[in-house]
Amino acid sequence: MAEQRRDTSGEEPGGERREAVRGAMAGAALEPGPGVAAHADTARIWEALVATARRTVADGLVVGTSGNVSARVGDLVLVTPSGVPYDRLTPGDITGVDLSGRQVLGTLVPTSELPMHLAVYRTTGARAVVHTHAVHATAVSTLVPELPLVHYMAGALGGPVRVAPYATYGSDELAENMLGALAGRSGCLLQNHGTITYGDGLDQAYDRTAQLEWMCRLWLTASSVPGLAPSLLTEAQLAEAGARLRGYGQRR
């Protein structure tokens, strides 16, 4: 998709509010008070968001600008812009919308997959969302309605990973299909499209994406051996593993 140009006319919908937000952020750098902390937090999360987006490319989960990443800061959703290579993004390219989708920060057009991101934030407690076109996961999405239980890490996503029925990218129909597949889950596959996962931060959302791609690669590898079929876990085995995973890691 072509890189979106910056609109400098000042007449776009929400333009006055965007100018106010930019002015407030600029002023926050000069005046002490709560605005300084809010601006610093937003800038920090934007930096982490861009780093995560670049990581999806470096790790082979997307090609070019085909994926997108977002993070929620209060009622503000920071999101990668449409069609802009991630290695070109700078602090000045910060792009944000409110939960209704109205752009309130920046002048670059938000990702075309904004309906999916907003649907996740409106219906879950997600703080970050990662969408990719990971090759193994996308391949699996064309073969089965649900990823077979080939590994217990499916428990980290809430259970068997479903495939959302196909719909045109960027459409409300796709967002609705995705929500159905995400019910009780923190990730799903999008038929003939890719993956979407969410978490309580960018690191968790990204890790869930990477784990999902790995499980898809594992199943494709195991199921490709002639004359053999991979052993699969039972729902009870997955539930037991999922309970253990909830207590995994260091206590804070």
Side-chain angles (χ1 to χ4, degrees):
M1 299 175 67
E3 182 172 343
Q4 301 296 313
R5 66 179 178 86
R6 295 176 185 271
D7 187 339
T8 57
S9 67
E11 298 300 326
E12 70 277 18
E16 291 183 1
R17 175 152 183 201
R18 283 202 289 280
E19 290 301 326
V21 171
R22 281 196 292 271
M25 291 181 69
L30 300 175
E31 301 176 5
V36 175
H39 170 49
D41 192 44
T42 301
R44 175 183 59 80
I45 293 175
W46 173 254
E47 181 180 9
L49 184 153
V50 171
T52 300
R54 290 173 178 169
R55 189 178 176 191
T56 64
V57 177
D59 291 351
L61 299 177
V62 304
V63 175
T65 63
S66 60
N68 29 79
V69 179
S70 68
R72 182 173 178 176
V73 188
D75 291 332
L76 173 69
V77 176
L78 301 179
V79 63
T80 48
S82 177
V84 181
Y86 301 138
D87 60 358
R88 297 185 191 175
L89 292 176
T90 70
D93 292 322
I94 189 169
T95 304
V97 301
D98 63 20
L99 291 174
S100 72
R102 182 166 59 112
Q103 188 163 0
V104 297
L105 197 58
T107 56
L108 292 178
V109 177
T111 173
S112 58
E113 296 292 10
L114 188 59
M116 281 204 301
H117 290 258
L118 293 179
V120 172
Y121 291 122
R122 291 176 191 143
T123 57
T124 74
R127 309 304 295 180
V129 175
V130 175
H131 166 54
T132 79
H133 292 180
V135 63
H136 298 95
T138 304
V140 169
S141 79
T142 70
L143 299 171
V144 291
E146 182 178 280
L147 175 63
L149 289 177
V150 72
H151 198 275
Y152 66 79
M153 282 305 294
L157 297 177
V161 179
R162 308 181 188 102
V163 178
Y166 179 80
T168 305
Y169 81 92
S171 66
D172 290 335
E173 181 185 4
L174 177 59
E176 183 177 350
N177 292 350
M178 173 208 66
L179 286 180
L182 277 180
R185 306 288 186 266
S186 55
C188 72
L189 300 176
L190 307 170
Q191 190 177 53
N192 296 85
H193 188 152
T195 70
I196 191 161
T197 59
Y198 69 84
D200 59 15
L202 286 161
D203 286 344
Q204 186 179 64
Y206 182 86
D207 182 65
R208 286 172 171 170
T209 296
Q211 290 286 357
L212 179 52
E213 167 67 356
W214 180 83
M215 285 190 290
C216 289
R217 183 178 182 183
L218 174 64
W219 181 71
L220 287 171
T221 301
S223 60
S224 68
V225 178
L228 295 175
S231 62
L232 301 177
L233 300 178
T234 65
E235 293 277 0
Q237 288 171 327
L238 183 66
E240 181 181 3
R244 285 178 174 265
L245 286 168
R246 284 192 288 274
Y248 178 78
Q250 300 298 312
R251 306 293 189 273
R252 293 185 179 181

